[in-house]
Amino acid sequence: MAEIDLIKNLEYISFMILNRILKLQGYLFRIDSKEFLDIIIYKGFSSSKTHQTEIYSEKKL
């Protein structure tokens, strides 16, 4: 079965449609807790508003 990389696919879509911002909100479920997650995708780049992200743009979010 093929792996689906949702963030990478959404980054590609946002790169093709330059005048839109995509905002994703949800939760990361850990063994003992759940953390709020807020991601912004614009012009092919993604950034998390709630978790620290790498400066290197090729690294996965």
Side-chain angles (χ1 to χ4, degrees):
M1 190 162 120
E3 180 180 326
I4 298 173
D5 191 348
L6 181 60
I7 299 294
K8 186 176 180 179
N9 293 341
L10 292 172
E11 286 173 342
Y12 177 75
I13 292 169
S14 75
F15 179 74
M16 302 306 286
I17 306 170
L18 298 176
N19 62 346
R20 301 285 182 191
I21 295 174
L22 177 62
K23 183 176 182 179
L24 303 173
Q25 292 182 323
Y27 293 95
L28 289 174
F29 292 98
R30 306 285 186 192
I31 294 173
D32 57 350
S33 66
K34 116 176 148 172
E35 299 174 22
F36 182 70
L37 179 66
D38 196 6
I39 296 175
I40 299 290
I41 302 175
Y42 180 64
K43 291 188 178 182
F45 293 97
S46 56
S47 181
S48 174
K49 291 175 52 183
T50 54
H51 293 79
Q52 189 172 12
T53 56
E54 294 285 334
I55 295 173
Y56 182 58
S57 65
E58 295 297 319
K59 193 156 187 172
K60 286 187 176 185
L61 187 66

